[in-house]
Amino acid sequence: MQSYSKYNFYKATIISLFTAIMIAGFSIILGKENLFLMLNTNLGKFGDFFFTYATYLGDGIVWVIFVLFFLWKDRKQILVIVLSIIISTIIVHFIKGSVFINQPRPLEALPALKNIIHTIPNITIHLVGSFPSGHTTQVFTMYLLLCLIYNKNWILWVGYVLALIVGYSRVYQAQHFPIDVAGGIIAAIITVYSSIFISNKILSVKKSLMLI
């Protein structure tokens, strides 16, 4: 079985879960539309520029960079990383395609408020497939994996801030409701724990076969 840095990983899990619960709680209390309108604030040209590029940390190309880094630096972690990519993709697409089918995103759900919803010029705004946020799922999955692999306090906190920024960028760009971000965090937690379980089972079987 693979040896991991469980202390920081458990802390990262608790922090992430608490964040998701808080977002979901405020979404229920205030209403998901009202919370979205509160957070979808125009922060000017700097905010537009910053969140245009910050959101890319949750893009698929970053998974490629992530995998290439570990192929170069620490190949024994590749199994759990690849499993995380597969599982997170399955979870997000299953929920979007089979559970919350064509779930409207902010501009589609709030057509009467289009004039007050902040959007960034030249950014294509998607209208359906709101829950959960795939970008948030990816970035929190990477965050949890890094905390699992490396016992570094700075990764625990810097990684959390970066992941949270990506999640907020989806609301800032009017691509998602905050509840979608909460869903993405929960999907990430399920993804990594499932990946660890499956990875350990595969490695145990492999070890048993080598002893035969």
Side-chain angles (χ1 to χ4, degrees):
M1 292 173 62
Q2 183 65 53
S3 176
Y4 296 119
S5 171
K6 292 184 178 179
Y7 182 66
N8 267 358
F9 174 63
Y10 291 148
K11 286 202 292 186
T13 301
I14 292 169
I15 292 167
S16 300
L17 183 59
F18 177 77
T19 301
I21 292 171
M22 289 295 291
I23 295 171
F26 278 112
S27 295
I28 293 169
I29 294 168
L30 301 174
K32 74 172 189 177
E33 294 85 0
N34 291 331
L35 184 59
F36 165 77
L37 292 171
M38 288 172 60
L39 296 177
N40 175 250
T41 303
N42 187 348
L43 298 178
K45 290 184 178 180
F46 175 78
D48 287 0
F49 176 82
F50 180 78
F51 289 111
T52 292
Y53 292 98
T55 202
Y56 288 134
L57 288 174
D59 271 5
I61 188 64
V62 180
W63 267 134
V64 177
I65 297 170
F66 201 77
V67 169
L68 290 175
F69 172 80
F70 280 96
L71 280 173
W72 167 61
K73 195 74 175 177
D74 194 357
R75 292 192 177 190
K76 67 179 181 292
Q77 309 296 348
I78 287 298
L79 178 59
V80 73
I81 292 171
V82 170
L83 285 170
S84 293
I85 295 172
I86 295 170
I87 293 171
S88 64
T89 302
I90 291 172
I91 289 174
V92 170
H93 282 83
F94 173 75
I95 295 174
K96 285 179 183 284
S98 300
V99 182
F100 295 98
I101 304 170
N102 293 327
Q103 186 79 5
R105 299 194 188 213
L107 285 184
E108 181 74 5
L110 304 168
L113 300 177
K114 285 184 178 180
N115 291 334
I116 66 171
I117 293 174
H118 174 65
T119 57
I120 301 175
N122 302 318
I123 295 290
T124 300
I125 308 298
H126 302 289
L127 299 179
V128 295
S130 190
F131 188 89
S133 165
H135 281 69
T136 304
T137 301
Q138 177 177 312
V139 75
F140 269 90
T141 297
M142 290 191 293
Y143 163 60
L144 291 169
L145 285 171
L146 287 172
C147 289
L148 176 70
I149 295 167
Y150 297 117
N151 185 27
K152 303 287 185 181
N153 261 343
W154 71 266
I155 291 177
L156 176 67
W157 296 112
V158 173
Y160 172 70
V161 171
L162 290 175
L164 204 58
I165 286 172
V166 173
Y168 176 70
S169 75
R170 307 310 291 162
V171 178
Y172 186 84
Q173 290 190 12
Q175 302 281 17
H176 285 284
F177 290 101
I179 192 68
D180 304 330
V181 173
I185 297 173
I186 297 299
I189 294 171
I190 294 171
T191 289
V192 178
Y193 275 85
S194 299
S195 299
I196 294 169
F197 177 79
I198 296 171
S199 173
N200 284 337
K201 287 295 183 182
I202 291 173
L203 292 175
S204 294
V205 170
K206 182 179 178 182
K207 185 177 180 180
S208 298
L209 290 175
M210 290 176 65
L211 294 174
I212 296 175

